[in-house]
Amino acid sequence: MENQAAERKKIVFSGIQPSGQITLGNYLGAVRNWKQLQEEYNCIYSIVNMHAITVRQDPAELKKRTLEAYALILACGIDPEKSIAFIQSHVKEHAEINWVLACYTQFGELSRMTQFKDKSQKNPDNINAGLFTYPVLMAGDILLYQTDLVPVGIDQKQHLELARDIAIRFNGQRGNTFVVPDGYIPKAGAKIMSLADPTKKMSKSDPNPRGCVYILDPPETIIKKFKSAVTDSDMEVCYREGKDGINNLMTIYSCVTGKTYEEIEEEFKGKGYGDFKLAVGTAVAEHLAPIREKYNALMADKAYLEKCYTEGAEKASRIARRTLEKVYKKVGFLPK
Ligand code: AQP
């Protein structure tokens, strides 16, 4: 009975690229929710290193960052006994389904993806086909696991909608094959902005490290970054249109302390931005300290990490293989 109930649980899938150091944006927009969701759902989380090579990566650095990102998601509370946590390139079904789904995705659809346009602009000398078809690989990541819910930040909404469209199209043409996934976008923290330019998203690959808070930054660095955060010329801590810097800091403060915007406005009534920025920096540093500690302990035990990602890949592959076999059958590939 207990097993049957477990089988009926909804499935959650999400991933993170080891394309740089993981930021507070990645954490508040996605990873923090991953931990909570594992209490209620069957969760599958991946370090999506295949996505990361759509932008040039130094191979040694990518390898190192992949393990670090894996350790970091465990440090953020992903329990490899409760959830499946694996590295994307270890499960070859991701590459295999990618081809089939590419044949069910239109050129025009991919041309409309804003992330492709942004990243092409940022990397004009390397607009490779992988960057263009990135959303197809992402659709495969999700659909392979018959995913119900995908917890992501708002920047991934367009890709998620495309994954839904691909699933609906495939199901319509080849018969019911995929669960059509829904997005799970948090109410607060879905788009954390750069501290240096609060009109831009905080991003791992931002060349300006002042704008980005990394989860593993030491407390004094975190506080220093918040102290130099760009704000505005009036003096009021309140959430209002046009106050991008303060709005961003209020969002971050609210996410790590659980306080509402009204409570924050009340707390800093009559105080200057200096006090507010220090309070946000301190709260973030305190919030992240136990994660950093756990991360250091995990990185000191490479054998444990290897065991976790090996078992994670085996479990993921078992599920992925079932879906891939179904897909191959539906498109008419002769079985071996
Ligand atoms: N600034 C952000 N605020 C809230 N959520 C964010 N996410 C990313 N940036 C923010 C969410 O984090 C998850 C993992 O992101 P990803 O690794 O797939 O890559 P990304 O979305 O392209 O994030 P980055 O940090 O901007 O990476 P680069 O610089 O390599 O492109 C996703 O759920 C994402 O929504």
Side-chain angles (χ1 to χ4, degrees):
M1 269 315 273
E2 213 173 289
N3 269 349
Q4 274 177 10
E7 271 169 25
R8 281 199 303 273
K9 270 194 196 173
K10 284 195 169 175
I11 296 172
V12 165
F13 176 91
S14 199
I16 188 160
Q17 299 184 69
S19 47
Q21 291 193 54
I22 294 177
T23 71
L24 185 65
N26 299 132
Y27 176 71
L28 295 179
V31 183
R32 185 176 64 134
N33 303 311
W34 295 5
K35 179 187 173 200
Q36 284 153 12
L37 290 166
Q38 65 184 353
E39 306 307 326
E40 211 180 318
Y41 301 103
N42 283 335
C43 296
I44 305 169
Y45 298 124
S46 183
I47 305 302
V48 288
N49 54 347
M50 290 162 70
H51 284 275
I53 63 163
T54 53
V55 173
R56 278 290 165 267
Q57 307 285 339
D58 173 67
E61 193 66 17
L62 179 64
K63 195 172 159 194
K64 183 170 150 272
R65 288 220 162 114
T66 302
L67 185 68
E68 288 170 354
Y70 189 84
L72 192 55
I73 66 164
L74 299 198
C76 288
I78 305 311
D79 177 351
E81 300 293 326
K82 269 189 201 155
S83 300
I84 299 177
F86 72 101
I87 293 162
Q88 187 186 27
S89 62
H90 291 173
V91 179
K92 62 182 176 14
E93 287 79 6
H94 288 256
E96 294 178 77
I97 199 165
N98 180 54
W99 177 251
V100 179
L101 296 184
C103 299
Y104 283 78
T105 309
Q106 299 303 305
F107 179 84
E109 288 177 308
L110 292 175
S111 309
R112 286 193 287 276
M113 296 294 116
T114 55
Q115 194 181 81
F116 171 69
K117 293 180 199 163
D118 290 349
K119 292 206 170 174
S120 307
Q121 259 174 14
K122 283 187 196 154
N123 305 282
D125 53 349
N126 184 25
I127 307 175
N128 61 73
L131 190 64
F132 188 65
T133 60
Y134 175 116
V136 180
L137 183 61
M138 176 166 157
D141 299 339
I142 297 166
L143 302 181
L144 269 179
Y145 300 98
Q146 305 294 352
T147 302
D148 297 286
L149 273 186
V150 188
V152 282
I154 219 154
D155 63 320
Q156 292 296 337
K157 192 165 175 254
Q158 195 186 28
H159 289 166
L160 185 68
E161 273 160 14
L162 180 61
R164 286 172 55 86
D165 291 343
I166 297 171
I168 293 167
R169 179 174 307 135
F170 192 96
N171 287 350
Q173 292 180 13
R174 296 285 158 255
N176 221 5
T177 310
F178 298 119
V179 168
V180 179
D182 283 315
Y184 178 95
I185 294 175
K187 284 199 186 76
K191 192 171 186 188
I192 299 298
M193 311 308 276
S194 157
L195 299 189
D197 178 356
T199 61
K200 280 200 198 130
K201 186 185 87 139
M202 187 182 284
S203 229
K204 281 186 226 94
S205 56
D206 187 342
N208 179 2
R210 269 195 336 117
C212 260
V213 173
Y214 304 110
I215 303 190
L216 296 175
D217 273 343
E220 54 285 5
T221 309
I222 296 177
I223 292 172
K224 203 166 147 205
K225 285 181 178 175
F226 276 101
K227 274 188 178 164
S228 66
V230 168
T231 48
D232 54 55
S233 55
D234 58 58
M235 292 289 288
E236 213 184 337
V237 177
C238 66
Y239 200 98
R240 209 171 46 218
E241 216 189 308
K243 287 172 74 74
D244 297 333
I246 290 293
N247 293 350
N248 191 37
L249 294 178
M250 285 182 72
T251 302
I252 295 171
Y253 193 57
S254 167
C255 284
V256 296
T257 61
K259 292 178 185 169
T260 63
Y261 291 156
E262 292 74 34
E263 286 166 341
I264 299 170
E265 285 171 13
E266 195 53 40
E267 187 179 345
F268 292 96
K269 207 177 237 168
K271 293 189 185 159
Y273 283 172
D275 290 337
F276 178 50
K277 291 202 264 187
L278 179 64
V280 183
T282 308
V284 170
E286 276 169 13
H287 184 91
L288 297 179
I291 296 176
R292 202 160 152 251
E293 223 168 273
K294 180 124 190 264
Y295 169 83
N296 288 334
L298 284 162
M299 283 304 281
D301 191 352
K302 301 268 173 11
Y304 173 72
L305 290 174
E306 192 181 323
K307 173 181 166 287
C308 291
Y309 68 65
T310 306
E311 286 176 4
E314 280 161 9
K315 289 185 215 160
S317 192
R318 272 199 292 277
I319 306 171
R321 178 94 336 232
R322 276 206 300 271
T323 303
L324 190 72
E325 277 170 8
K326 197 167 158 190
V327 168
Y328 275 12
K329 200 164 150 194
K330 296 269 185 169
V331 295
F333 287 172
L334 185 70
K336 263 204 291 200

